């Protein structure tokens, strides 16, 4: 059961508080927010959280990208790795590529280079814009990837000399170039064993 939602916090206070909770929380505008609220609440079960398809896509990204990066300076990490973004806020992306020096006890990524967010049908354009605005201020970050569930569609944001640029990638034959880490991820890998049958709005 989630704890009652407290008032405004500094990042330091939030990290201490969140470590004592049974579920994951994110810090947004100085206030703790349950991470499960990203995915809505299932109207039948009343349970909050991500769907099987969401988790399968995230697992595919983690596995294939981890294999690409093996032996190099960067690591693909799951959604338990927190990143600090705008104004001292903190979030848990679905997949983080960390290129900093490993610190076994660190809860915050030291040098996040690439972030992946697997979107849910309930995510609005406004929510996506808020995420990208928060993430783009991270100095070490070079790519932010939004991955759709209902079809093979990915929006790849990349930092350039003149700012950030978004490029769409569609279809199972496409590939995702991640130049900042010298790797490529194919759409077939991202959506391996994924069914595109219709789902509920909270999946």
């Amino acid at each position: 059961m989630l704890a009652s939602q407290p008032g405004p916090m500094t990042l330091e206070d939030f990290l201490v508080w969140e470590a004592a909770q049974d579920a994951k929380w994110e810090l947004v505008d100085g206030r703790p927010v349950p991470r499960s609220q990203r995915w809505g609440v299932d109207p039948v079960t009343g349970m909050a959280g991500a769907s099987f398809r969401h988790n399968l896509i995230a697992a595919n990204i983690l596995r294939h990208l981890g294999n690409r990066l093996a032996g190099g300076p960067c690591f693909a990490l799951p959604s338990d790795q927190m990143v600090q973004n705008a104004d001292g806020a903190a979030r848990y992306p679905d997949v983080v590529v960390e290129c900093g020096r490993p610190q076994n006890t660190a809860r915050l990524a030291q040098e996040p280079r690439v972030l992946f967010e697997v979107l849910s049908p309930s995510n609005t354009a406004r929510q996506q814009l808020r995420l990208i605005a928060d993430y783009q201020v991270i100095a070490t970050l070079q790519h932010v990837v939004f991955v759709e569930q209902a079809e093979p569609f990915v929006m790849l944001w990349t930092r350039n000399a003149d700012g950030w640029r978004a490029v769409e990638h569609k279809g199972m034959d496409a590939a995702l170039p991640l130049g900042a880490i010298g790797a490529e991820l194919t759409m077939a890998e991202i959506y391996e064993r994924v069914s595109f049958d219709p789902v509920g709005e909270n999946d």
Side-chain angles (χ1 to χ4, degrees):
M1 184 174 182
L2 292 176
S4 59
Q5 191 162 335
M9 287 183 174
T10 65
L11 176 62
E12 292 73 19
D13 289 342
F14 168 75
L15 292 175
V16 173
W17 176 86
E18 199 256 355
Q21 307 309 308
D22 294 331
K24 292 181 185 176
W25 292 66
E26 297 183 326
L27 188 65
V28 181
D29 293 331
R31 292 183 177 274
V33 176
R35 187 179 190 272
S36 59
Q37 284 189 0
R38 285 181 170 200
W39 320 122
V41 177
D42 188 293
V44 176
T45 66
M47 298 295 289
S51 68
F52 171 81
R53 183 162 67 180
H54 175 282
N55 292 332
L56 177 58
I57 292 171
N60 286 341
I61 294 169
L62 184 65
R63 176 165 56 90
H64 289 294
L65 197 55
N67 289 339
R68 295 280 196 285
L69 299 175
C74 299
F75 305 82
L77 301 173
S79 61
D80 287 324
Q81 190 67 55
M82 184 183 290
V83 299
Q84 180 180 352
N85 52 54
D87 301 322
R91 294 187 186 272
Y92 287 105
D94 288 307
V95 177
V96 178
V97 175
E98 166 70 281
C99 296
R101 185 174 180 177
Q103 298 185 28
N104 291 338
T105 60
R107 294 178 58 212
L108 289 170
Q110 304 301 300
E111 295 183 28
R113 195 71 52 83
V114 186
L115 303 180
F116 287 82
E117 291 283 4
V118 181
L119 301 175
S120 293
S122 58
N123 288 140
T124 65
R126 182 176 180 180
Q127 288 173 322
Q128 293 178 47
L129 289 173
R130 173 59 192 270
L131 275 177
I132 194 66
D134 280 357
Y135 287 151
Q136 286 176 351
V137 304
I138 301 173
T140 62
L141 194 62
Q142 299 298 314
H143 301 294
V144 178
V145 187
F146 289 131
V147 182
E148 293 283 356
Q149 288 190 56
E151 61 178 323
F153 179 93
V154 169
M155 182 70 76
L156 170 63
W157 288 82
T158 299
R159 188 192 298 270
N160 298 293
D162 57 350
W164 287 79
R165 181 187 176 201
V167 177
E168 297 178 354
H169 296 269
K170 303 177 182 179
M172 296 295 281
D173 294 331
L176 199 64
L178 302 170
I181 54 173
E184 181 178 87
L185 199 59
T186 69
M187 298 286 271
E189 290 171 329
I190 292 173
Y191 293 102
E192 183 179 346
R193 302 183 71 179
V194 173
S195 168
F196 294 111
D197 294 335
V199 297
E201 65 176 9
N202 294 315
D203 287 356

